[in-house]
Amino acid sequence: MGRLAQSWALVKASAAVLRSDRKLLVFPLLSGACTLLVVASFLVPLALGGALARLDDGAPPPWAWPLAFVFYLSQYFVIFFFNAALVGAARIRLDGGTPTVADGLRLAASRWQDILGYAAIAATVGLVLRMIEERAGFIGRWIVGLIGVAWTVATFLAVPVLVNERLGPVDAVKRSAELLKRTWGENLIGNIGIGLVFGLLFVAWAMLGVGLFTVLATERSLLAMAFAGVVFVLGMLLIGVVQSALQGVYAAALHRYAETGSAGSGFDGALVEAAFKPRS
């Protein structure tokens, strides 16, 4: 119960930081836009060259796995780069400063080589798990899924370690796993809690959208349906962006707590006291 209360207080405190510094939402927006560009840069040439059709014909050709690795590497680099920028800016805020978007991007740019190295590690792990999954049966897929979850949990603090402790990618993974021993409860409970809350928001917004479309369909108002569709998509994007930003702030705060025993001055005092009082 102590870890549950501390985790929930830490999540609420992270949300308070995000409310007070909304510019942190810029980083997941940039990440999403660049991720779409990476996907398009791979899919469009493959589609135009007819390679996508060959991929659906059975066993993947020899060039498919190396290309998949490059795709994984590109995607992970983009995601980790902007996550590092978000974590760096959040850490400045937690240390009592007033970060700008440029500050976060500058911090990430100064660590781009180590971010690329970590992306290579994550891409290798992801590709190996995918190859095993392709050849495994039903039980094997469950095992691979559990391994993937364990990897995600163990490396949750790898990006904050890269940015704030300035370790290399291999040492950052080891350090993240080491810090997990101190914060495994807060890590799991906090991330599951965030996932559940935003999952419910997604479901509620989706149900609202379906109900609204149903009503508008009976009215046969194409303009109103188009407007409702835009609002629905923007709402979904907003929920996703806020969730991503909150998880980044939470990672920065959890790392600071694991490293120093304090979340930092960017948090509301009452919430910090509740979240980080000595454990009995």
Side-chain angles (χ1 to χ4, degrees), residues 12-240:
K12 290 193 294 183
S14 299
V17 169
L18 189 58
R19 284 197 303 270
S20 65
D21 205 343
R22 293 186 178 88
K23 70 173 72 70
L24 297 176
L25 295 172
V26 171
F27 299 112
L29 281 172
L30 292 174
S31 179
C34 292
T35 297
L36 289 176
L37 289 175
V38 170
V39 171
S41 69
F42 279 83
L43 285 184
V44 171
L46 287 174
L48 293 178
L52 288 180
R54 292 197 296 274
L55 288 174
D56 292 333
D57 289 340
W63 51 264
W65 292 117
L67 182 64
F69 175 79
V70 176
F71 175 74
Y72 274 50
L73 177 64
S74 303
Q75 285 284 70
Y76 278 127
F77 177 75
V78 167
I79 293 170
F80 293 154
F81 181 87
F82 288 105
N83 195 18
L86 171 60
V87 166
R91 181 58 182 261
I92 294 174
R93 173 74 178 178
L94 297 173
D95 288 338
T98 305
T100 64
V101 173
D103 290 331
L105 294 175
R106 192 179 303 111
L107 283 170
S110 70
R111 305 293 294 152
W112 75 268
Q113 291 176 312
D114 289 323
I115 293 172
L116 180 61
Y118 177 48
I121 294 173
T124 301
V125 172
L127 187 62
V128 168
L129 291 179
R130 180 61 185 271
M131 293 173 71
I132 296 174
E133 187 179 17
E134 289 284 333
R135 293 164 173 78
F138 178 76
I139 301 299
R141 292 191 183 96
W142 272 97
I143 295 174
V144 169
L146 291 175
I147 294 173
V149 171
W151 169 260
T152 301
V153 172
T155 58
F156 180 66
L157 296 179
V159 170
V161 169
L162 280 173
V163 175
N164 299 316
E165 299 188 33
R166 307 190 73 82
L167 296 179
V170 175
D171 290 333
V173 172
K174 294 179 180 177
R175 175 65 170 160
S176 177
E178 175 189 336
L179 293 175
L180 178 64
K181 298 175 184 178
R182 307 179 200 171
T183 61
W184 65 268
E186 290 84 354
N187 190 334
L188 288 175
I189 295 171
N191 280 296
I192 290 174
I194 292 172
L196 286 175
V197 169
F198 281 90
L200 291 174
L201 286 175
F202 272 114
V203 171
W205 187 253
M207 292 176 63
L208 180 63
V210 170
L212 181 60
F213 278 121
T214 302
V215 172
L216 292 177
T218 60
E219 299 292 333
R220 297 183 179 181
S221 175
L222 295 180
L223 182 60
M225 290 179 65
F227 178 76
V230 171
V231 173
F232 176 76
V233 171
L234 290 178
M236 283 293 194
L237 289 175
L238 178 61
I239 294 172

